[in-house]
Amino acid sequence: MPFNVPIALTLFRLLLLPVFVVLFYIPETWASFAAAFVFWLAAITDALDGYAARKLKQSTRFGAFLDPVADKIMVITALVLLVGQYNSIWLTIPALFMIGREIVISALREWMAEIGKRGKVAVSWIGKYKTAAQMIAIIGLIWQPNDFIIYTAFTLFYIASILTFWSMISYIRAAWSDLTAEE
């Protein structure tokens, strides 16, 4: 297995996952800030590993595989924990939609790669904005220091939901001719 700075950052992000979960459940006033901080740190390593791979010319197949896996595991874990904590339909429905979108797009990318057209469903600017809004919203929803942050986080969460839908439609439209072609 190749080992370099970007892969180390991705593996670090995966190691943060159990720390995040434990902190999320600690019944102390400081724990929500600590859990939000660990999630923020994971989000930063997500941005840094891609930058490091490009800047240091250390892109590898293993890194290209592991990075989106680490991202999805971290985000889905946070969404599941938040759904349980908030126990609200207003958080549950968009969270389920976000998780469903990740499954749909992962399957679409895998299928497009099988037919040699993975480039048609490469990450777009909509996906990057969706990820940014989603990460900031999740951090605010975990931390919850005051009503302003919570309402802002919910607003960003709904913006991320809209961008989630938009990006999913964009990816499906890009692949539509291949999805509907009969052999």
Side-chain angles (χ1 to χ4, degrees), residues 161-182:
S161 295
I162 292 165
L163 293 172
T164 294
F165 181 74
W166 185 4
S167 68
M168 183 177 73
I169 295 302
S170 296
Y171 291 132
I172 290 171
R173 286 178 68 200
W176 190 252
S177 62
D178 295 305
L179 285 170
T180 58
E182 295 300 321

Side-chain angles (χ1 to χ4, degrees), residues 2 24 27 33 38 51 54 65 69-70 76 116 125 129 161 165 170-172 183:
F24 188 89
F33 173 78
V38 168
Y51 175 77
R54 290 184 297 279
F65 159 75
V69 170
I76 290 170
W125 67 269
Y129 286 127
S161 295
F165 181 74
S170 296
Y171 291 132
I172 290 171
E183 292 182 24

Side-chain angles (χ1 to χ4, degrees), residues 20-95:
F20 165 67
V21 172
V22 168
L23 289 170
F24 188 89
Y25 281 112
I26 291 178
E28 298 290 335
T29 55
W30 55 265
S32 61
F33 173 78
F37 179 79
V38 168
F39 189 86
W40 171 83
L41 186 58
I44 293 300
T45 64
D46 178 26
L48 288 177
D49 65 8
Y51 175 77
R54 290 184 297 279
K55 187 78 172 167
L56 302 173
K57 296 183 180 7
Q58 292 184 342
S59 296
T60 64
R61 289 180 179 179
F62 182 68
F65 159 75
L66 190 60
D67 178 58
V69 170
D71 300 345
K72 285 169 186 24
I73 290 172
M74 194 70 169
V75 169
I76 290 170
T77 299
L79 291 173
V80 168
L81 294 177
L82 288 169
V83 163
Q85 181 181 46
Y86 279 83
N87 193 26
S88 165
I89 193 168
W90 302 111
L91 188 89
T92 301
I93 289 175

Side-chain angles (χ1 to χ4, degrees), residues 136-147:
I136 295 167
I138 289 171
I139 291 165
L141 291 169
I142 294 165
W143 184 22
Q144 315 170 31
N146 56 49
D147 287 345

